[in-house]
Amino acid sequence: DDDSDDEEEEEDEDEEEEIYNPLKLPMGWDGKPIPYWLYKLHGLNLEFTCEICGNYSYWGRRAYERHFSEFRHQHGMRCLNIPNTKAFAEVTTIADALALQKALDARKVGQWKRETDEECEDADGNVYNKKTYEDLRRQGLI
């Protein structure tokens, strides 16, 4: 009986043994480091830092691209008073984000102006913007 108890303790020690991982590879589903070729294939050796997220590092392209929709990045954008839209994808420095916001504000992209953007059609099917249509109608040309 004593011999069998000793064997069970030795087996438990083998399972709890520290796994050799000198490259500090991430652990797989089985609790062992993933193969190095898989590590390289997924680009986990590449580090991407985001200044907007407080210089947080993301390992691998997939994690980096996913972080733009996560809370940390959205909160950083909110703190800068910048909307987190598609225009700001791949922008990770505060200076670049502010410069892009300033450029977008200067162009007023996406803002609709009634006098230039609203269109009217006359009886013949000609399309005019609202201001031109009203001018032509007042003159009696339409």
CSV table of all heavy atoms in Angstrom, one decimal, residues 121-128 133 141-142:
chain,number,residue,atom,x,y,z
A,121,GLU,N,-37.0,69.5,-58.2
A,121,GLU,CA,-37.2,69.1,-59.6
A,121,GLU,C,-38.3,69.9,-60.2
A,121,GLU,O,-39.4,70.0,-59.6
A,121,GLU,CB,-37.5,67.6,-59.7
A,121,GLU,CG,-37.5,67.1,-61.1
A,121,GLU,CD,-37.7,65.6,-61.2
A,121,GLU,OE1,-37.5,64.9,-60.2
A,121,GLU,OE2,-38.0,65.1,-62.3
A,122,ASP,N,-38.1,70.4,-61.4
A,122,ASP,CA,-39.2,71.2,-62.1
A,122,ASP,C,-40.1,70.2,-62.9
A,122,ASP,O,-39.9,69.0,-62.9
A,122,ASP,CB,-38.7,72.3,-62.9
A,122,ASP,CG,-37.9,71.9,-64.1
A,122,ASP,OD1,-37.7,70.6,-64.3
A,122,ASP,OD2,-37.4,72.7,-64.9
A,123,ALA,N,-41.1,70.8,-63.5
A,123,ALA,CA,-42.1,70.0,-64.3
A,123,ALA,C,-41.5,69.2,-65.4
A,123,ALA,O,-41.9,68.2,-65.8
A,123,ALA,CB,-43.2,70.9,-64.8
A,124,ASP,N,-40.4,69.8,-66.0
A,124,ASP,CA,-39.7,69.1,-67.1
A,124,ASP,C,-38.7,68.0,-66.7
A,124,ASP,O,-38.1,67.4,-67.5
A,124,ASP,CB,-38.9,70.2,-68.0
A,124,ASP,CG,-39.9,71.2,-68.6
A,124,ASP,OD1,-41.0,70.8,-68.9
A,124,ASP,OD2,-39.4,72.3,-68.8
A,125,GLY,N,-38.5,67.9,-65.4
A,125,GLY,CA,-37.6,66.9,-64.9
A,125,GLY,C,-36.2,67.4,-64.6
A,125,GLY,O,-35.3,66.6,-64.3
A,126,ASN,N,-35.9,68.7,-64.7
A,126,ASN,CA,-34.6,69.3,-64.4
A,126,ASN,C,-34.4,69.4,-62.9
A,126,ASN,O,-35.4,69.8,-62.2
A,126,ASN,CB,-34.5,70.6,-65.1
A,126,ASN,CG,-34.6,70.6,-66.6
A,126,ASN,OD1,-34.1,69.6,-67.2
A,126,ASN,ND2,-35.3,71.5,-67.2
A,127,VAL,N,-33.2,69.0,-62.5
A,127,VAL,CA,-33.0,69.0,-61.0
A,127,VAL,C,-32.1,70.2,-60.7
A,127,VAL,O,-31.1,70.4,-61.4
A,127,VAL,CB,-32.3,67.7,-60.6
A,127,VAL,CG1,-32.0,67.8,-59.1
A,127,VAL,CG2,-33.2,66.5,-60.9
A,128,TYR,N,-32.5,71.0,-59.7
A,128,TYR,CA,-31.7,72.2,-59.2
A,128,TYR,C,-31.6,72.1,-57.7
A,128,TYR,O,-32.4,71.5,-57.1
A,128,TYR,CB,-32.5,73.5,-59.6
A,128,TYR,CG,-32.8,73.7,-61.0
A,128,TYR,CD1,-34.1,73.4,-61.5
A,128,TYR,CD2,-31.9,74.1,-61.9
A,128,TYR,CE1,-34.5,73.6,-62.8
A,128,TYR,CE2,-32.2,74.3,-63.3
A,128,TYR,CZ,-33.5,74.0,-63.7
A,128,TYR,OH,-33.9,74.2,-65.0
A,133,TYR,N,-33.5,76.8,-57.6
A,133,TYR,CA,-34.9,76.5,-57.9
A,133,TYR,C,-35.8,77.7,-57.4
A,133,TYR,O,-36.7,78.1,-58.2
A,133,TYR,CB,-35.4,75.2,-57.2
A,133,TYR,CG,-36.8,74.9,-57.5
A,133,TYR,CD1,-37.2,74.3,-58.7
A,133,TYR,CD2,-37.8,75.1,-56.5
A,133,TYR,CE1,-38.5,74.0,-58.9
A,133,TYR,CE2,-39.1,74.8,-56.8
A,133,TYR,CZ,-39.5,74.2,-58.0
A,133,TYR,OH,-40.8,73.9,-58.2
A,141,LEU,N,-39.3,81.7,-64.6
A,141,LEU,CA,-38.7,80.9,-65.6
A,141,LEU,C,-39.1,79.5,-65.5
A,141,LEU,O,-38.9,78.7,-66.5
A,141,LEU,CB,-37.2,81.1,-65.6
A,141,LEU,CG,-36.7,82.5,-65.8
A,141,LEU,CD1,-35.2,82.6,-65.6
A,141,LEU,CD2,-37.0,83.0,-67.2
A,142,ILE,N,-39.6,79.0,-64.4
A,142,ILE,CA,-40.0,77.6,-64.2
A,142,ILE,C,-41.5,77.6,-64.1
A,142,ILE,O,-42.1,78.3,-63.4
A,142,ILE,CB,-39.3,77.0,-63.0
A,142,ILE,CG1,-37.8,77.0,-63.1
A,142,ILE,CG2,-39.8,75.6,-62.8
A,142,ILE,CD1,-37.1,76.4,-62.0
